[in-house]
Amino acid sequence: MKISPCFRLLMLLLSANHLFAQSTKWEFGPSLLSTHYLGDLVESKYPVPDGGGWGGQLHLSRHLGEAFSFRINGSYMQLKGSDLNFAETRTYRSFSFTSSLYELALLGEWDLLGRRRYDKGRLKKTFSPYLMGGIAGIYCDPK
């Protein structure tokens, strides 16, 4: 089944994180990912229609007050690339690969304007820039 790049972009933009817990101390959310390989097996600077895959992510956050939280992310992505996508110049080589990529990340978040997001203990929807840092591990097995 072929899926257009525009549809993938639309799904990526529409996949929003949801707050499933009853308390604002815990947050859980899914994300839908669209992946594209840009490297030796791609001639253009832009993703090609046949060079993408799908993925997903789950995150769980624990808020430690109004400005700090810890977060764990688990992600799965599909990657692929092929010289056959470029009939004119690289078909003689016939290189290709497919790979599943798994990522687990432990992150800390600092909400720079976090105190403004809360009104009597309830979370308000507002613009709120943040800084994030942490450590992640990735497992990938290209074939």
Side-chain angles (χ1 to χ4, degrees):
M1 177 171 92
K2 283 196 163 194
I3 299 172
S4 77
C6 292
F7 179 75
R8 286 183 187 187
L9 179 61
L10 178 65
M11 291 304 297
L12 181 64
L13 294 174
L14 292 177
S15 89
N17 293 330
H18 300 283
L19 185 65
F20 289 116
Q22 293 178 354
S23 168
T24 57
K25 292 186 184 246
W26 288 96
E27 183 178 332
F28 172 78
S31 296
L32 180 63
L33 308 173
S34 176
T35 62
H36 291 276
Y37 170 76
L38 294 175
D40 184 45
L41 300 182
V42 178
E43 287 182 334
S44 94
K45 296 178 186 176
Y46 307 102
V48 295
D50 293 335
W54 287 97
Q57 175 180 318
L58 293 175
H59 83 267
L60 178 66
S61 296
R62 170 73 165 118
H63 296 275
L64 303 174
E66 296 175 340
F68 294 97
S69 64
F70 286 102
R71 176 176 175 160
I72 185 167
N73 283 355
S75 303
Y76 167 77
M77 293 166 255
Q78 298 172 334
L79 301 172
K80 64 181 177 178
S82 176
D83 280 338
L84 300 178
N85 291 333
F86 305 100
E88 299 85 35
T89 58
R90 295 197 179 172
T91 54
Y92 66 91
R93 230 175 32 167
S94 295
F95 288 166
S96 67
F97 80 95
T98 59
S99 180
S100 293
L101 186 136
Y102 302 89
E103 177 191 46
L104 183 64
L106 299 172
L107 306 165
E109 293 181 11
W110 175 31
D111 190 343
L112 300 173
L113 304 175
R115 295 183 195 280
R116 289 181 28 191
R117 294 183 67 201
Y118 290 89
D119 181 26
K120 298 178 186 172
R122 299 195 52 93
L123 190 63
K124 294 188 309 185
K125 292 182 181 179
T126 183
F127 173 76
S128 186
Y130 63 94
L131 296 175
M132 180 186 301
I135 187 166
I138 295 175
Y139 174 76
C140 184
D141 186 21
K143 297 180 190 318

